[in-house]
Amino acid sequence: MTNRQCPRCGKQYPASYQRCPYCFRQRRKQRSPWARRLRYLRRVVIRLRRQGPYYLPAALGVLLALLVLLCVLVSRCAFKGSEKPAEPPTVQTPDSETQEPAEPLTLSQTALSLTAGESALLTASGGGEGVIWSSSNQDVATVESGTVTGKGAGSAVITAASGTETVTCQVTVQEPVVLPELALNHRDFTLPFGDPPVQMKVKIKGTRDLYDGEVVWTSQDTNVVSVSQEGLVERVGRGTTTVTAIIGDMTLECIVRVPR
């Protein structure tokens, strides 16, 4: 008996086989379970055909009926799971109504600095309906409807009360600064071309002393003259302008002329 050699796996097998049995078995093992099931169904269909012409339609009808019944059962279970028992309507009574708790009482400021005679407004938020204001020292600061007024130098505590809540603000009052009578060393001058810059100064009236406090110098027209923060006036262009010295609430002016 002659043997053949498989060109795929290289093994020898009898020539009576039409194909290599080793490769056939290997491919059979590698087939998926679904291929085996389809093969089994194919054999069943062949057997039913051999039994008679009516067995195959009857088997298919029974299988279709089972599938329909299974679908109906699955849909009923899903519908019952999605249904929720109806909840009885809740009747809300005035006693069952819940009110949100009020926000805590707070002040717009917790510390305040004033000058005697100056006023500032404090606002209260949260708490109850009404707010009662009081001052720990009426000689230093008074309060009315949240308006705090400084009376004299010192410290006082402003209290706002609403129900059981109280909040405070620390107020410090200082005496107003009284400036002496001041004047500029120049009230009107001319700055010709080629002349050196002019030094402006603030003097205390009635004395030879210079004012050593803070002074803010400005030029009304910087295209005519410029002024430094030390009061030094320099020529820039031509025309007439005003140099101003600001000391607190006081304003002193000097006219500067630059000829053509």
Side-chain angles (χ1 to χ4, degrees), residues 184-224:
L184 296 177
N185 59 338
H186 297 285
R187 297 183 62 183
D188 189 341
F189 68 90
T190 301
L191 186 60
F193 178 78
D195 284 8
V198 176
Q199 180 65 56
M200 297 288 295
K201 299 178 182 179
V202 179
K203 295 183 176 181
I204 301 175
K205 284 185 178 182
T207 66
R208 295 183 179 180
D209 300 331
L210 296 177
Y211 177 70
D212 58 355
E214 183 180 359
V215 181
V216 179
W217 297 93
T218 60
S219 174
Q220 187 175 2
D221 190 351
T222 55
N223 294 323
V224 178

Side-chain angles (χ1 to χ4, degrees), residues 3 33 100 126 141 148 165 167 195 227 229 238:
N3 294 333
E100 296 183 358
V148 182
E165 293 183 281
V167 287
D195 284 8
V227 58
Q229 290 306 312
R238 297 174 181 178

Side-chain angles (χ1 to χ4, degrees), residues 8 19 42 44 150 164 204 238:
R8 182 175 297 177
R19 54 188 176 184
R42 183 180 179 185
V44 171
T164 58
I204 301 175
R238 297 174 181 178

Side-chain angles (χ1 to χ4, degrees), residues 27 31 37 79 172 174 222:
R27 289 197 302 271
R31 287 182 180 178
R37 293 188 181 94
F79 181 73
T172 303
Q174 299 177 350
T222 55

Side-chain angles (χ1 to χ4, degrees), residues 75-97:
S75 62
R76 282 191 175 184
C77 293
F79 181 73
K80 288 183 178 180
S82 62
E83 286 184 348
K84 293 184 179 179
E87 298 180 357
T90 56
V91 180
Q92 190 173 10
T93 60
D95 295 338
S96 64
E97 292 181 356

